[in-house]
Coordinates of all heavy atoms in Angstrom, one line a residue:
I252 N -29.1 2.2 9.6 CA -28.2 2.2 10.7 C -28.6 3.1 11.7 O -29.4 4.0 11.4 CB -26.7 2.4 10.3 CG1 -26.6 3.8 9.6 CG2 -26.3 1.4 9.4 CD1 -25.1 4.1 9.3
S253 N -28.2 3.1 12.9 CA -28.5 4.0 13.9 C -27.9 5.3 13.7 O -26.9 5.5 13.1 CB -28.2 3.5 15.3 OG -26.7 3.4 15.5
E254 N -28.6 6.4 14.3 CA -27.9 7.7 14.3 C -26.5 7.8 14.9 O -25.6 8.4 14.4 CB -28.8 8.7 15.0 CG -30.1 9.0 14.3 CD -30.9 10.1 15.0 OE1 -30.4 10.7 15.9 OE2 -32.1 10.3 14.7
T255 N -26.3 6.9 16.0 CA -25.1 6.8 16.6 C -23.9 6.4 15.8 O -22.8 6.7 15.5 CB -25.1 6.1 18.0 OG1 -26.1 6.6 18.8 CG2 -23.8 6.1 18.6
M256 N -24.3 5.2 15.1 CA -23.3 4.5 14.2 C -23.1 5.4 12.9 O -22.0 5.6 12.5 CB -23.9 3.2 13.7 CG -23.0 2.4 12.6 SD -21.4 2.2 13.3 CE -21.8 0.6 14.1
G257 N -24.1 6.2 12.4 CA -23.9 7.1 11.3 C -22.9 8.2 11.6 O -22.0 8.4 10.9
K258 N -23.0 8.8 12.8 CA -22.2 9.9 13.2 C -20.8 9.3 13.5 O -19.8 10.0 13.1 CB -22.8 10.6 14.4 CG -23.9 11.3 14.2 CD -24.5 12.0 15.4 CE -25.8 12.8 15.2 NZ -26.3 13.3 16.4
F259 N -20.7 8.1 14.1 CA -19.3 7.6 14.4 C -18.6 7.2 13.1 O -17.4 7.4 12.8 CB -19.4 6.3 15.3 CG -18.1 5.5 15.2 CD1 -17.1 6.0 16.0 CD2 -17.9 4.5 14.5 CE1 -15.8 5.4 16.0 CE2 -16.7 3.7 14.4 CZ -15.7 4.2 15.3
N260 N -19.4 6.6 12.1 CA -18.8 6.2 10.8 C -18.2 7.3 10.1 O -17.2 7.2 9.5 CB -20.0 5.5 10.0 CG -19.4 5.0 8.6 OD1 -18.5 4.3 8.5 ND2 -20.2 5.4 7.6
Y261 N -19.0 8.5 10.2 CA -18.4 9.7 9.5 C -17.1 10.1 10.3 O -16.1 10.5 9.6 CB -19.5 10.8 9.4 CG -19.0 12.0 8.7 CD1 -18.8 12.2 7.5 CD2 -18.8 13.2 9.7 CE1 -18.2 13.3 6.9 CE2 -18.2 14.3 9.1 CZ -18.0 14.4 7.7 OH -17.5 15.6 7.3
A262 N -17.2 10.2 11.6 CA -16.1 10.8 12.3 C -14.9 9.9 12.1 O -13.7 10.5 11.9 CB -16.5 10.8 13.8
E263 N -15.0 8.6 12.1 CA -13.9 7.7 11.9 C -13.3 7.9 10.4 O -12.1 7.8 10.1 CB -14.2 6.3 12.2 CG -13.1 5.3 12.0 CD -12.0 5.5 12.8 OE1 -12.2 5.9 14.0 OE2 -10.8 5.1 12.4
L264 N -14.2 7.9 9.4 CA -13.7 8.3 8.1 C -12.9 9.6 8.0 O -11.9 9.6 7.4 CB -15.0 8.4 7.1 CG -15.6 7.2 6.5 CD1 -16.8 7.6 5.7 CD2 -14.5 6.5 5.6
C265 N -13.4 10.6 8.7 CA -12.6 11.9 8.8 C -11.2 11.7 9.5 O -10.2 12.1 8.8 CB -13.3 13.0 9.4 SG -14.8 13.6 8.6
L266 N -11.2 10.9 10.5 CA -9.9 10.6 11.2 C -9.1 9.8 10.3 O -7.8 10.2 10.2 CB -10.3 9.8 12.4 CG -9.0 9.3 13.3 CD1 -8.2 10.4 13.9 CD2 -9.5 8.3 14.4
A267 N -9.5 8.8 9.7 CA -8.7 8.0 8.7 C -8.1 8.8 7.6 O -6.9 8.7 7.3 CB -9.5 6.7 8.4
F268 N -9.0 9.4 6.9 CA -8.6 10.1 5.6 C -7.6 11.3 6.0 O -6.7 11.5 5.2 CB -9.9 10.8 4.9 CG -10.5 9.9 3.9 CD1 -11.4 8.9 4.2 CD2 -10.0 9.8 2.6 CE1 -11.9 8.1 3.3 CE2 -10.4 9.0 1.7 CZ -11.5 8.2 2.0
D269 N -7.9 12.0 7.1 CA -6.9 13.1 7.5 C -5.6 12.6 7.8 O -4.6 13.4 7.5 CB -7.5 13.8 8.6 CG -8.7 14.7 8.4 OD1 -9.0 14.8 7.1 OD2 -9.4 15.3 9.4
N270 N -5.3 11.4 8.1 CA -4.1 10.9 8.5 C -3.5 10.0 7.4 O -2.3 9.9 7.2 CB -4.1 10.2 9.9 CG -4.3 11.2 11.1 OD1 -3.2 11.7 11.5 ND2 -5.5 11.3 11.6
L271 N -4.2 9.1 6.8 CA -3.8 8.1 6.0 C -3.9 8.4 4.4 O -3.2 7.8 3.6 CB -4.7 6.9 6.2 CG -4.6 6.2 7.6 CD1 -5.6 5.1 7.8 CD2 -3.2 5.7 7.9
Y272 N -4.6 9.5 4.1 CA -4.6 9.8 2.7 C -3.4 10.6 2.3 O -3.1 11.7 2.8 CB -5.8 10.6 2.3 CG -5.9 10.9 0.7 CD1 -5.9 9.9 -0.1 CD2 -6.0 12.2 0.3 CE1 -6.0 10.1 -1.5 CE2 -6.1 12.5 -1.2 CZ -6.1 11.4 -2.0 OH -6.2 11.6 -3.3
G273 N -2.6 10.0 1.3 CA -1.2 10.5 1.1 C -1.1 11.7 0.1 O -0.1 12.3 -0.1
L274 N -2.2 12.2 -0.5 CA -2.1 13.2 -1.4 C -2.9 14.4 -1.1 O -3.5 15.1 -1.9 CB -2.6 12.7 -2.8 CG -1.7 11.5 -3.4 CD1 -2.4 11.0 -4.6 CD2 -0.3 12.1 -3.7
K275 N -3.1 14.6 0.3 CA -4.0 15.8 0.7 C -3.4 17.1 0.2 O -4.1 18.0 -0.3 CB -4.0 15.9 2.1 CG -4.8 14.8 2.9 CD -5.1 15.2 4.3 CE -3.9 15.4 5.1 NZ -4.2 15.9 6.5
E276 N -2.1 17.3 0.2 CA -1.5 18.6 -0.1 C -1.7 18.9 -1.6 O -2.3 19.9 -1.9 CB 0.0 18.5 0.2 CG 0.3 18.5 1.7 CD 1.8 18.4 1.9 OE1 2.6 18.6 0.9 OE2 2.2 18.0 3.0
V277 N -1.4 18.0 -2.4 CA -1.5 18.2 -3.9 C -3.0 18.3 -4.4 O -3.3 18.9 -5.4 CB -0.8 17.1 -4.7 CG1 0.8 17.2 -4.5 CG2 -1.3 15.8 -4.5
H278 N -3.8 17.8 -3.5 CA -5.3 17.8 -3.9 C -5.9 19.0 -3.2 O -7.2 19.3 -3.4 CB -6.0 16.5 -3.4 CG -5.9 15.4 -4.4 ND1 -6.9 15.0 -5.2 CD2 -4.8 14.7 -4.8 CE1 -6.5 14.0 -6.0 NE2 -5.3 13.8 -5.7
G279 N -5.2 19.8 -2.5 CA -5.7 21.0 -1.8 C -6.7 20.7 -0.8 O -7.7 21.4 -0.6
I280 N -6.7 19.6 0.0 CA -7.6 19.1 0.9 C -7.2 19.5 2.3 O -6.2 19.0 2.8 CB -7.9 17.7 0.8 CG1 -8.4 17.2 -0.6 CG2 -8.8 17.1 1.9 CD1 -8.5 15.7 -0.8
E281 N -7.9 20.4 2.9 CA -7.5 20.9 4.2 C -7.9 19.8 5.2 O -7.1 19.5 6.1 CB -8.3 22.2 4.5 CG -8.0 22.7 5.9 CD -8.9 24.0 6.2 OE1 -9.3 24.6 5.3 OE2 -9.1 24.2 7.5
S282 N -9.1 19.2 5.1 CA -9.4 18.1 5.9 C -10.6 17.4 5.2 O -11.3 18.0 4.3 CB -10.1 18.7 7.2 OG -11.2 19.4 7.0
F283 N -10.8 16.2 5.6 CA -11.9 15.4 4.9 C -13.3 16.0 5.2 O -14.1 16.0 4.4 CB -11.8 14.0 5.4 CG -12.8 13.0 4.5 CD1 -12.6 12.7 3.2 CD2 -13.9 12.4 5.3 CE1 -13.4 11.9 2.6 CE2 -14.7 11.6 4.6 CZ -14.5 11.4 3.2
D284 N -13.5 16.5 6.5 CA -14.7 17.1 6.8 C -15.0 18.3 6.0 O -16.1 18.6 5.5 CB -14.6 17.6 8.3 CG -15.9 18.1 8.7 OD1 -17.1 17.5 8.6 OD2 -15.9 19.3 9.2
N285 N -13.9 19.2 5.6 CA -14.1 20.3 4.8 C -14.4 19.9 3.4 O -15.3 20.5 2.7 CB -12.8 21.2 4.9 CG -13.0 22.5 4.2 OD1 -13.9 23.2 4.7 ND2 -12.1 23.0 3.4
L286 N -13.8 18.9 2.9 CA -14.1 18.3 1.5 C -15.6 17.8 1.4 O -16.2 18.2 0.5 CB -13.1 17.1 1.3 CG -13.5 16.4 -0.1 CD1 -13.2 17.3 -1.3 CD2 -12.5 15.2 -0.2
C287 N -16.0 17.2 2.5 CA -17.4 16.7 2.6 C -18.5 18.0 2.5 O -19.5 17.9 1.9 CB -17.7 15.7 3.7 SG -16.8 14.3 3.6
R288 N -18.1 19.0 3.3 CA -18.8 20.2 3.3 C -18.9 20.9 1.9 O -20.0 21.2 1.5 CB -18.2 21.2 4.4 CG -18.4 20.8 5.7 CD -17.8 22.0 6.6 NE -17.7 21.6 8.0 CZ -18.7 21.8 8.9 NH1 -19.8 22.5 8.4 NH2 -18.6 21.5 10.2
Q289 N -17.7 20.9 1.4 CA -17.6 21.6 -0.1 C -18.4 20.9 -1.1 O -19.0 21.4 -2.1 CB -16.1 21.7 -0.4 CG -15.3 22.7 0.4 CD -13.9 22.6 0.2 OE1 -13.3 21.6 -0.3 NE2 -13.1 23.6 0.6
T290 N -18.4 19.6 -1.0 CA -19.2 18.6 -1.9 C -20.6 18.5 -1.6 O -21.4 17.9 -2.5 CB -18.3 17.3 -2.2 OG1 -18.4 16.6 -0.8 CG2 -17.1 17.6 -2.8
G291 N -21.0 18.9 -0.4 CA -22.4 18.7 0.0 C -22.8 17.4 0.4 O -24.0 17.1 0.6
Y292 N -21.8 16.5 0.9 CA -22.1 15.2 1.2 C -22.0 15.0 2.7 O -22.1 13.9 3.2 CB -21.3 14.2 0.5 CG -21.7 14.2 -1.0 CD1 -20.8 14.5 -2.0 CD2 -23.0 13.8 -1.6 CE1 -21.1 14.6 -3.3 CE2 -23.3 13.8 -2.8 CZ -22.4 14.3 -3.8 OH -22.7 14.3 -5.0
R293 N -21.7 15.9 3.5 CA -21.4 15.7 4.9 C -22.6 15.2 5.6 O -22.5 14.1 6.4 CB -21.0 17.1 5.6 CG -20.6 17.0 7.0 CD -20.1 18.4 7.6 NE -19.5 18.2 8.9 CZ -20.2 18.3 10.0 NH1 -21.6 18.5 9.9 NH2 -19.7 18.2 11.2
E294 N -23.8 15.6 5.6 CA -24.9 15.2 6.2 C -25.3 13.8 5.7 O -25.8 12.9 6.6 CB -26.1 16.1 6.1 CG -25.8 17.6 6.6 CD -25.5 17.6 8.2 OE1 -26.1 16.8 8.9 OE2 -24.5 18.4 8.5
I295 N -25.1 13.6 4.5 CA -25.5 12.2 4.0 C -24.6 11.1 4.6 O -25.0 10.0 4.9 CB -25.5 12.2 2.4 CG1 -26.5 13.1 1.9 CG2 -25.5 10.8 1.9 CD1 -26.4 13.3 0.3
L296 N -23.3 11.5 4.6 CA -22.3 10.5 5.1 C -22.4 10.2 6.5 O -22.0 9.1 7.1 CB -20.8 11.0 4.8 CG -20.4 10.9 3.3 CD1 -19.1 11.7 3.2 CD2 -20.1 9.4 3.1
M297 N -23.0 11.1 7.3 CA -23.2 10.8 8.6 C -24.6 10.4 9.0 O -25.1 10.3 10.1 CB -22.9 11.9 9.6 CG -23.6 13.2 9.5 SD -23.4 14.5 10.7 CE -21.6 14.8 10.4
G298 N -25.4 10.2 8.1 CA -26.9 9.8 8.2 C -27.1 8.3 8.4 O -26.2 7.6 8.5
T299 N -28.3 7.9 8.3 CA -28.7 6.5 8.6 C -29.0 5.7 7.5 O -29.3 4.5 7.7 CB -30.0 6.5 9.6 OG1 -31.1 7.1 8.9 CG2 -29.6 7.3 10.8
D300 N -28.9 6.2 6.3 CA -29.2 5.5 5.1 C -27.9 5.0 4.5 O -27.2 5.8 3.9 CB -29.9 6.4 4.1 CG -30.5 5.5 2.8 OD1 -29.9 4.6 2.5 OD2 -31.6 5.9 2.3
P301 N -27.6 3.7 4.6 CA -26.2 3.2 4.1 C -26.1 3.3 2.6 O -25.0 3.6 2.1 CB -26.2 1.8 4.5 CG -27.7 1.4 4.8 CD -28.4 2.6 5.2
E302 N -27.3 3.2 1.8 CA -27.2 3.4 0.4 C -26.7 4.8 0.0 O -25.9 4.9 -0.9 CB -28.5 2.9 -0.3 CG -28.8 1.4 -0.1 CD -30.0 1.0 -1.0 OE1 -30.4 1.8 -1.9 OE2 -30.5 0.0 -0.7
Q303 N -27.4 5.8 0.5 CA -27.0 7.1 0.3 C -25.6 7.4 0.7 O -24.8 8.2 0.0 CB -28.0 8.1 1.0 CG -29.3 8.1 0.4 CD -30.2 9.2 0.9 OE1 -29.6 10.1 1.4 NE2 -31.5 9.1 0.8
S304 N -25.2 7.0 1.9 CA -23.8 7.1 2.4 C -22.8 6.4 1.4 O -21.8 7.1 1.1 CB -23.8 6.5 3.8 OG -22.3 6.5 4.3
D305 N -23.1 5.2 1.0 CA -22.2 4.6 -0.1 C -22.1 5.4 -1.4 O -21.0 5.5 -1.9 CB -22.7 3.1 -0.3 CG -22.4 2.2 0.8 OD1 -21.4 2.5 1.6 OD2 -23.0 1.2 0.9
A306 N -23.2 5.9 -1.9 CA -23.2 6.7 -3.0 C -22.4 8.0 -2.9 O -21.6 8.3 -3.8 CB -24.7 7.0 -3.5
A307 N -22.5 8.7 -1.7 CA -21.7 9.8 -1.4 C -20.3 9.5 -1.4 O -19.3 10.2 -1.9 CB -22.2 10.5 -0.2
L308 N -19.9 8.5 -0.7 CA -18.6 8.0 -0.6 C -17.9 7.5 -2.0 O -16.8 8.0 -2.4 CB -18.4 6.8 0.2 CG -16.9 6.4 0.8 CD1 -16.2 7.6 1.4 CD2 -16.9 5.2 1.7
Y309 N -18.8 6.9 -2.9 CA -18.3 6.6 -4.2 C -17.9 7.8 -5.1 O -16.9 8.0 -5.6 CB -19.4 5.9 -4.9 CG -19.2 5.6 -6.4 CD1 -18.7 4.4 -6.9 CD2 -19.6 6.6 -7.4 CE1 -18.4 4.4 -8.3 CE2 -19.4 6.5 -8.7 CZ -18.8 5.3 -9.1 OH -18.6 5.1 -10.5
I310 N -18.8 8.9 -4.9 CA -18.6 10.1 -5.7 C -17.4 10.8 -5.2 O -16.6 11.3 -6.0 CB -19.9 11.1 -5.5 CG1 -21.0 10.4 -6.2 CG2 -19.5 12.5 -6.1 CD1 -22.4 11.1 -6.0
I311 N -17.2 10.9 -3.9 CA -15.9 11.6 -3.3 C -14.7 10.8 -3.8 O -13.7 11.6 -4.1 CB -16.1 11.7 -1.8 CG1 -17.1 12.8 -1.4 CG2 -14.8 12.0 -1.1 CD1 -17.4 13.0 0.1
I312 N -14.7 9.5 -3.6 CA -13.5 8.8 -3.9 C -13.1 8.8 -5.5 O -12.1 9.0 -5.9 CB -13.5 7.3 -3.4 CG1 -13.5 7.4 -1.9 CG2 -12.4 6.5 -3.9 CD1 -13.8 6.1 -1.2
N313 N -14.2 8.4 -6.2 CA -14.0 8.2 -7.7 C -14.0 9.4 -8.5 O -13.4 9.5 -9.5 CB -15.1 7.2 -8.1 CG -14.7 5.8 -7.8 OD1 -14.2 5.6 -6.8 ND2 -15.3 4.8 -8.6
K314 N -14.7 10.5 -7.9 CA -14.7 11.6 -8.9 C -14.0 12.9 -8.2 O -13.3 13.6 -9.0 CB -16.3 12.0 -9.0 CG -17.1 11.0 -9.7 CD -18.4 11.6 -10.0 CE -18.4 12.5 -11.2 NZ -19.8 12.8 -11.7
H315 N -13.9 13.0 -6.9 CA -13.3 14.2 -6.4 C -11.8 13.9 -6.0 O -10.8 14.7 -6.2 CB -14.0 14.7 -5.2 CG -15.3 15.3 -5.4 ND1 -15.4 16.6 -5.8 CD2 -16.5 14.8 -5.4 CE1 -16.7 16.9 -6.1 NE2 -17.4 15.8 -5.8
L316 N -11.5 12.7 -5.6 CA -10.1 12.2 -5.3 C -9.6 11.9 -6.7 O -8.5 12.5 -7.1 CB -9.9 11.1 -4.3 CG -10.4 11.4 -2.9 CD1 -10.1 10.2 -2.0 CD2 -9.8 12.7 -2.4
D317 N -10.1 10.9 -7.4 CA -9.8 10.7 -8.8 C -8.3 10.5 -9.1 O -7.9 11.2 -10.1 CB -10.4 11.7 -9.7 CG -10.5 11.4 -11.2 OD1 -10.5 10.2 -11.5 OD2 -10.4 12.3 -12.0
D318 N -7.6 9.8 -8.2 CA -6.1 9.8 -8.5 C -5.7 8.5 -9.0 O -4.4 8.1 -9.0 CB -5.5 10.1 -7.1 CG -5.7 9.0 -6.0 OD1 -6.0 7.8 -6.3 OD2 -5.7 9.5 -4.7
L319 N -6.7 7.6 -9.4 CA -6.4 6.3 -10.1 C -6.1 5.2 -9.0 O -6.2 4.0 -9.3 CB -5.4 6.3 -11.2 CG -5.7 7.2 -12.5 CD1 -4.7 7.2 -13.5 CD2 -7.1 6.9 -13.0
H320 N -5.3 5.6 -7.9 CA -5.1 4.6 -6.9 C -6.3 4.5 -5.9 O -6.5 3.4 -5.3 CB -3.8 4.9 -6.0 CG -2.5 4.3 -6.6 ND1 -1.3 5.0 -6.5 CD2 -2.4 3.2 -7.4 CE1 -0.4 4.2 -7.1 NE2 -1.0 3.2 -7.6
S321 N -7.0 5.6 -5.8 CA -8.0 5.6 -4.9 C -9.5 5.0 -5.7 O -9.6 5.5 -6.8 CB -8.5 7.0 -4.3 OG -7.3 7.3 -3.5
Y322 N -10.1 4.1 -5.1 CA -11.2 3.5 -5.8 C -12.3 3.0 -4.8 O -11.9 2.2 -3.9 CB -10.7 2.4 -6.7 CG -11.7 2.1 -7.9 CD1 -11.6 2.9 -9.0 CD2 -12.3 1.0 -7.7 CE1 -12.7 2.5 -10.0 CE2 -13.3 0.5 -8.8 CZ -13.4 1.4 -9.8 OH -14.2 1.1 -10.9
F323 N -13.5 3.1 -5.2 CA -14.6 2.5 -4.5 C -14.8 1.1 -4.9 O -15.0 0.9 -6.1 CB -15.9 3.3 -4.5 CG -17.0 2.9 -3.8 CD1 -17.3 3.5 -2.6 CD2 -17.8 1.9 -4.2 CE1 -18.5 3.1 -1.8 CE2 -18.9 1.4 -3.4 CZ -19.2 2.0 -2.3
H324 N -14.9 0.1 -4.0 CA -15.0 -1.3 -4.3 C -16.4 -1.9 -4.1 O -17.0 -2.5 -5.0 CB -13.9 -2.1 -3.6 CG -12.6 -2.0 -4.2 ND1 -12.2 -2.3 -5.5 CD2 -11.4 -1.6 -3.5 CE1 -11.0 -2.1 -5.6 NE2 -10.4 -1.6 -4.6
N325 N -16.8 -1.9 -2.9 CA -18.0 -2.6 -2.4 C -18.9 -1.9 -1.5 O -18.3 -1.2 -0.6 CB -17.6 -4.0 -1.8 CG -17.0 -4.9 -2.8 OD1 -17.6 -5.5 -3.7 ND2 -15.7 -5.1 -2.5
V326 N -20.1 -2.0 -1.6 CA -21.0 -1.3 -0.7 C -21.1 -2.0 0.7 O -20.7 -3.0 0.8 CB -22.5 -1.2 -1.4 CG1 -22.4 -0.4 -2.6 CG2 -23.1 -2.6 -1.6
S327 N -21.7 -1.3 1.6 CA -22.0 -1.8 2.9 C -23.0 -3.1 2.9 O -23.7 -3.1 2.0 CB -22.7 -0.8 3.8 OG -23.2 -1.4 5.0
P328 N -22.8 -4.1 3.8 CA -23.8 -5.1 3.8 C -25.2 -4.7 4.2 O -26.1 -5.5 3.9 CB -23.2 -6.0 4.9 CG -22.3 -5.2 5.8 CD -21.7 -4.2 4.8
F329 N -25.3 -3.5 4.7 CA -26.6 -2.9 5.0 C -27.1 -2.3 3.8 O -28.5 -1.9 3.9 CB -26.5 -1.9 6.2 CG -25.8 -2.4 7.4 CD1 -24.6 -1.9 7.9 CD2 -26.2 -3.7 7.9 CE1 -24.0 -2.3 9.0 CE2 -25.6 -4.2 9.1 CZ -24.4 -3.6 9.6
S330 N -26.5 -2.1 2.7 CA -27.1 -1.6 1.5 C -27.6 -2.7 0.7 O -27.3 -3.9 0.8 CB -26.0 -0.8 0.7 OG -25.6 0.4 1.5
K331 N -28.4 -2.2 -0.4 CA -28.6 -3.3 -1.4 C -27.5 -3.6 -2.2 O -26.7 -2.8 -2.5 CB -29.7 -2.5 -2.4 CG -30.3 -3.5 -3.4 CD -31.3 -2.8 -4.3 CE -30.7 -1.6 -5.1 NZ -31.8 -1.1 -5.9
Q332 N -27.3 -5.0 -2.4 CA -26.1 -5.4 -3.1 C -26.1 -5.0 -4.6 O -27.2 -4.5 -5.1 CB -26.0 -7.0 -3.0 CG -25.7 -7.3 -1.5 CD -25.3 -8.9 -1.5 OE1 -24.5 -9.4 -2.4 NE2 -25.9 -9.5 -0.6
N333 N -24.9 -5.1 -5.2 CA -24.8 -4.9 -6.6 C -25.1 -3.4 -7.0 O -25.7 -3.2 -8.0 CB -25.6 -5.8 -7.4 CG -25.3 -7.4 -7.0 OD1 -24.1 -7.6 -7.0 ND2 -26.4 -8.1 -7.0
L334 N -24.8 -2.5 -6.1 CA -25.0 -1.1 -6.4 C -24.0 -0.5 -7.3 O -24.1 0.5 -7.8 CB -25.2 -0.3 -5.1 CG -26.5 -0.5 -4.4 CD1 -26.5 0.3 -3.1 CD2 -27.6 0.2 -5.2
N335 N -22.8 -1.1 -7.4 CA -21.7 -0.4 -8.1 C -22.0 -0.2 -9.6 O -21.7 1.0 -10.0 CB -20.4 -1.4 -8.1 CG -19.8 -1.5 -6.8 OD1 -20.5 -1.4 -5.6 ND2 -18.5 -1.6 -6.6
E336 N -22.6 -1.0 -10.2 CA -23.1 -0.7 -11.6 C -24.1 0.4 -11.7 O -24.0 1.3 -12.6 CB -23.6 -2.0 -12.3 CG -22.7 -3.1 -12.5 CD -23.3 -4.2 -13.3 OE1 -24.5 -4.1 -13.7 OE2 -22.6 -5.3 -13.5
E337 N -24.9 0.5 -10.7 CA -25.9 1.6 -10.6 C -25.1 3.0 -10.4 O -25.5 3.9 -11.1 CB -26.9 1.4 -9.5 CG -27.9 0.3 -9.9 CD -29.0 0.3 -8.8 OE1 -29.2 1.3 -8.1 OE2 -29.5 -0.9 -8.6
F338 N -24.1 2.8 -9.6 CA -23.4 4.1 -9.3 C -22.7 4.6 -10.5 O -22.6 5.8 -10.8 CB -22.3 3.8 -8.2 CG -22.9 3.7 -6.8 CD1 -22.2 3.1 -5.7 CD2 -24.3 4.0 -6.5 CE1 -22.7 3.0 -4.4 CE2 -24.8 3.9 -5.2 CZ -24.1 3.4 -4.3

Side-chain angles (χ1 to χ4, degrees):
I252 58 174
S253 69
E254 290 185 9
T255 302
M256 177 61 82
K258 290 178 180 178
F259 169 77
N260 182 46
Y261 178 74
E263 179 65 29
L264 272 174
C265 290
L266 174 67
F268 269 90
D269 286 351
N270 288 279
L271 295 171
Y272 185 58
L274 295 174
K275 284 196 307 177
E276 295 176 10
V277 294
H278 280 251
I280 298 173
E281 178 185 340
S282 69
F283 187 68
D284 181 59
N285 195 47
L286 174 63
C287 294
R288 289 177 187 274
Q289 292 170 338
T290 56
Y292 293 116
R293 185 176 186 272
E294 300 302 320
I295 293 174
L296 283 168
M297 67 169 62
T299 62
D300 188 328
E302 290 187 19
Q303 289 188 17
S304 176
D305 283 340
L308 191 58
Y309 171 93
I310 293 169
I311 286 177
I312 292 174
N313 283 26
K314 299 189 74 171
H315 290 278
L316 299 186
D317 192 27
D318 61 33
L319 298 183
H320 270 152
S321 297
Y322 198 78
F323 185 97
H324 285 300
N325 294 288
V326 297
S327 164
F329 306 122
S330 296
K331 183 177 66 177
Q332 289 190 48
N333 304 317
L334 283 175
N335 286 34
E336 291 185 6
E337 289 186 25
F338 288 168

